[in-house]
Amino acid sequence: MNKKSLSERDICTKFITPALKNAGWNIQTQVREEFSFTDGRIYVRGHLTARGKRKRADYILYHKPNIPLAIIEAKDNTHAIGAGMQQALEYAEILDIPCVFSSNGDGFVFHDRTCTGKLEKELTNDQFPTPADLWAIYIRYKGIQTSEQERIASQDYFFDGSGKTPRYYQQIAINRTVEAIAKGENRILLVMATGTGKTYIAFQIIHRLWKSGTKKRILFLADRTALIDQPRRNDFKHFKDKMTIIKKTVITRHDGKEVLVSNNKRGIDSSDKAYEIYLGLYQGLTNANDMEDAYKDFSLSFFDLVIVDECHRGSAADDSAWRKILEYFGNATHIGLTATPRETNEVSNSEYFGDPIYTYSLRQGISDGFLAPYRVVRIGIDIDLEGWRPPSGYLDKKGDPVEDRIYNRSDFDRLLVVDERRELVARKITEFLKGTDRFSKTIVFCQDIEHADGMRREIGNANADLVAANYKYVMKITGDDEEGKRELDNFTDPEQPYPVIATTSKLMNTGIDAQTCKLIVLDSNIRSMTEFKQIIGRGTRINEEYGKRYFTILDFRNVTDLFSDPDFDGDPVRIKPVSQDEDISVIEAEEKIADVPIMDEESGEEITDFEDLTGEGDEDNAPPDYPETPDNPPDPPEVNEPREKIFVNGVDVTVLNSREIYFDKDGKPITMSLKDFTRQQILNQYQSLDDFLRKWGASDKKEAIIEELLEQGILVDSLLEAVNRDCDLFDVICHVAWDMPPLTRKERANNVKKRNYFAKYGESARKVLESLLDKYADEGIRQIEDINILKITPFDRIGSPIQIIRSFGEKSDYLKAVNELEDQIYNTGAA
């Protein structure tokens, strides 16, 4: 058997797997082969989407399910034994794995990430470490020192038989938390982007600590009913009769007023204390209308673990009434879960919980393909950007004079309501939906309840045909509207087509699993990064069954400037500014026909297999099966601010151009002009024009230079748009960096034709080169460098790709001719 002729899979089967068996590894329970641990980033072109390549480990070795010890990267035997080490180390860091191996079948290179001496050594196939050997390294890697800590850290996960297992980042969050608690840590913070399964993570943490006997009574604390009800009905249901919800009941005082108290008139009914897992709202444990706080009916040491969901709210502030609950149960271990850690002068999560033990960001979730990418369409309204001053003697709709001052974006819909502005917003929302899908689930975030009601009316007027068919096409869903709140579950239910559009203020900015929300409209002056991230989180979930792979943000308030916050953890696939009278219904069509290639960040290959997904829906979110009141207190109602608004009409309102935001290769906003930024990047890489020309001329493929420029953060497509779409990128670079006058591609092509360059070729070869030159003039240099171009028109009329290549001789002769053609195209430099 010639080992060099074997495939990578053959090497695994014939050499690596037998080595694992001989070392005592159970292939069925401790080894996973060809394990894909990401889903592959979703790429968007118009309304089409495609998945990129998944990150895949050849082998992952486990102590127990979900407790990984080692990763092995395999290569075929034509590679060196350590050829896979760099990739394996990258994956090991992502997966939080200490032991890293590379193999080509001849043996292994072993990298011990815990070692401070000699990091790597070679092993024969007979020397592969045993499970006990690698478990000992894992224990050292995690800082576990006692047998009791080891026992807790190795506690089994919960499996319900459905085959559901944690994603890799959930596994890391769970393991790190359990291990930290095993080592005696009592304040732990997990930062996990919205849509990454914080509730499932909390369930597995609780289950493992509960089953190991480490924590016997656990309180899961939240501040919204949905954040209690969803865990109870889904992941936490496996606790069955060991779980209860802390409730209050209503009694009537002697003065006839109803108040909330507990079943024993002060605290929690004594029968409730027989449970082990407790779910509770802050509101259900505090401020019972002059009655003593109900949480005090429990002893100080009753709970030994408190998990605080969405810990950036409620208990984050030192002076919060709700913080008293955590202080009362201060002897317990406290775990904070949040997608948006809150850090201000007055409020700090990290000050209370400490630095996050693990962070999984929106950026990483999008890169891994677990969260939906998004585009931003920014619509700048003239009176928002320039301000509006009422003419002399101007009266409002009631006939009262309007104060003479300049009103701006912060005033509209908060102090001053301009009918025409709301009509324009509704018209643009409708325009976008008509160009995509009028039944895409949409959330419109407004300033307050009155604004939400006004937008419901205006959107209804703009969609009179659909509202006539079903009045629930657009509904206001706010805390003060019982009918609207009853429709919240239908909005998030994939089987229910209505409501389609929800206008809201605060009620839907968190705790709502709208997995198929495809459009988020921002018409509220959001000032808080925390609130902004929570709102955007309503769209980040993916539901491929109902065609949801990405979402769009329509920004009417320029609040996406918050993307410039250094903590923001995801970049839009596109930011599109909208100008006067521009039809935003065609935005997706424009992107679909764009000729800029999209490269997969994992494989580096161009993405071409875009799919057209249709349909929409949301995760099943059935109504609560226990009453929200009186046994369970409702969420705090939304209220309008106590101010009288001014209502006006007859104002000329239009859409203006708004600036476009660009991001550098690290995702940070570019604050200088696009041309200045590009010039700076190019001059950092090339010392002079001659230096650039030498490298361009010496490159066999200009595509490689373009890819290098992209990697440096140069925004090729945006730059072409800013200078001249008809120019070659070569000319644009020379023009921007060294002020050379640019030629268009057609001008360069005509210069080649004037030289009679093709005369030295035969008739067939000459036709091919002339067609390549025409393709360059129309589409650019990238197209003529791709040999697959020979399969399309007009080349298919000349002959098959093989016949065309033979007209030059060998394939190398064809490629040489293409290189010479490129030399002819660029032989005049940038002039």
Side-chain angles (χ1 to χ4, degrees), residues 48 75 105 121 202 219 241 364 411 490 526 586 597 671 780:
L48 305 180
K75 296 293 182 183
K121 60 182 178 181
L219 172 61
D241 58 357
Q364 189 61 50
D411 296 314
N490 289 330
I526 302 166
V586 299
T671 55

Short mmCIF file of all heavy atoms in Angstrom, two decimals, residues 48 75 105 121 202 219 241 364 411 490 526 586 597 671 780:
data_model
loop_
_atom_site.label_atom_id
_atom_site.label_comp_id
_atom_site.label_asym_id
_atom_site.label_seq_id
_atom_site.Cartn_x
_atom_site.Cartn_y
_atom_site.Cartn_z
N LEU A 48 -31.54 37.09 -2.23
CA LEU A 48 -30.95 35.76 -2.29
C LEU A 48 -29.94 35.60 -1.16
O LEU A 48 -29.26 36.54 -0.77
CB LEU A 48 -30.26 35.54 -3.63
CG LEU A 48 -31.11 35.75 -4.90
CD1 LEU A 48 -30.27 35.50 -6.13
CD2 LEU A 48 -32.33 34.83 -4.88
N LYS A 75 -4.26 15.34 7.79
CA LYS A 75 -3.87 15.67 6.43
C LYS A 75 -3.49 14.37 5.71
O LYS A 75 -3.17 13.37 6.35
CB LYS A 75 -2.66 16.61 6.42
CG LYS A 75 -2.92 17.98 7.03
CD LYS A 75 -3.90 18.79 6.21
CE LYS A 75 -4.13 20.17 6.79
NZ LYS A 75 -5.15 20.93 6.01
N GLY A 105 -0.78 10.48 9.36
CA GLY A 105 -0.78 9.02 9.36
C GLY A 105 0.52 8.40 9.82
O GLY A 105 0.55 7.25 10.26
N LYS A 121 5.67 18.33 20.57
CA LYS A 121 6.55 17.18 20.43
C LYS A 121 5.90 16.18 19.48
O LYS A 121 4.69 16.16 19.30
CB LYS A 121 6.83 16.53 21.77
CG LYS A 121 5.59 16.02 22.51
CD LYS A 121 5.97 15.45 23.86
CE LYS A 121 4.73 14.99 24.63
NZ LYS A 121 5.09 14.45 25.96
N ALA A 202 -28.70 28.51 30.77
CA ALA A 202 -29.05 28.57 32.20
C ALA A 202 -29.60 27.23 32.68
O ALA A 202 -29.26 26.77 33.78
CB ALA A 202 -30.08 29.68 32.43
N LEU A 219 -32.98 30.01 42.38
CA LEU A 219 -33.95 31.04 41.99
C LEU A 219 -33.54 31.59 40.63
O LEU A 219 -32.41 32.08 40.47
CB LEU A 219 -33.98 32.16 43.03
CG LEU A 219 -34.82 33.41 42.66
CD1 LEU A 219 -36.29 33.05 42.47
CD2 LEU A 219 -34.65 34.49 43.73
N ASP A 241 -42.04 18.46 38.58
CA ASP A 241 -42.64 18.83 39.86
C ASP A 241 -41.62 19.38 40.86
O ASP A 241 -41.97 19.69 41.99
CB ASP A 241 -43.37 17.63 40.48
CG ASP A 241 -42.47 16.43 40.68
OD1 ASP A 241 -41.28 16.49 40.29
OD2 ASP A 241 -42.95 15.42 41.22
N GLN A 364 -19.62 37.50 16.26
CA GLN A 364 -19.20 36.11 16.16
C GLN A 364 -20.37 35.22 15.75
O GLN A 364 -20.22 34.29 14.96
CB GLN A 364 -18.62 35.62 17.49
CG GLN A 364 -17.95 34.25 17.41
CD GLN A 364 -16.78 34.23 16.45
OE1 GLN A 364 -15.91 35.09 16.52
NE2 GLN A 364 -16.76 33.26 15.56
N ASP A 411 -37.42 66.46 18.71
CA ASP A 411 -38.74 66.98 19.07
C ASP A 411 -39.88 66.22 18.41
O ASP A 411 -40.97 66.10 18.98
CB ASP A 411 -38.84 68.46 18.65
CG ASP A 411 -37.87 69.35 19.39
OD1 ASP A 411 -37.77 69.22 20.62
OD2 ASP A 411 -37.19 70.16 18.73
N ASN A 490 -49.63 35.74 18.64
CA ASN A 490 -49.90 35.49 17.22
C ASN A 490 -48.82 36.10 16.34
O ASN A 490 -48.45 35.53 15.31
CB ASN A 490 -51.27 36.05 16.83
CG ASN A 490 -52.41 35.25 17.41
OD1 ASN A 490 -52.28 34.04 17.63
ND2 ASN A 490 -53.52 35.90 17.69
N ILE A 526 -33.43 56.68 19.97
CA ILE A 526 -32.77 55.78 20.92
C ILE A 526 -31.45 56.41 21.34
O ILE A 526 -30.64 56.80 20.51
CB ILE A 526 -32.55 54.41 20.27
CG1 ILE A 526 -33.87 53.81 19.82
CG2 ILE A 526 -31.84 53.47 21.24
CD1 ILE A 526 -33.73 52.64 18.89
N VAL A 586 -36.79 48.60 -4.69
CA VAL A 586 -35.90 47.90 -5.61
C VAL A 586 -34.52 47.66 -5.00
O VAL A 586 -33.61 47.20 -5.68
CB VAL A 586 -35.74 48.69 -6.92
CG1 VAL A 586 -37.08 48.85 -7.61
CG2 VAL A 586 -35.10 50.06 -6.66
N PRO A 597 -17.98 40.25 -6.38
CA PRO A 597 -18.00 38.89 -5.83
C PRO A 597 -18.02 38.90 -4.31
O PRO A 597 -17.46 39.79 -3.67
CB PRO A 597 -16.71 38.26 -6.36
CG PRO A 597 -15.81 39.41 -6.63
CD PRO A 597 -16.70 40.54 -7.06
N THR A 671 -13.93 57.54 9.82
CA THR A 671 -14.39 58.89 10.14
C THR A 671 -13.94 59.93 9.12
O THR A 671 -14.48 61.01 9.07
CB THR A 671 -13.88 59.30 11.54
OG1 THR A 671 -12.46 59.16 11.57
CG2 THR A 671 -14.48 58.41 12.61
N GLY A 780 -14.53 44.30 -16.37
CA GLY A 780 -13.34 44.45 -15.56
C GLY A 780 -12.37 43.29 -15.66
O GLY A 780 -12.64 42.27 -16.30
#
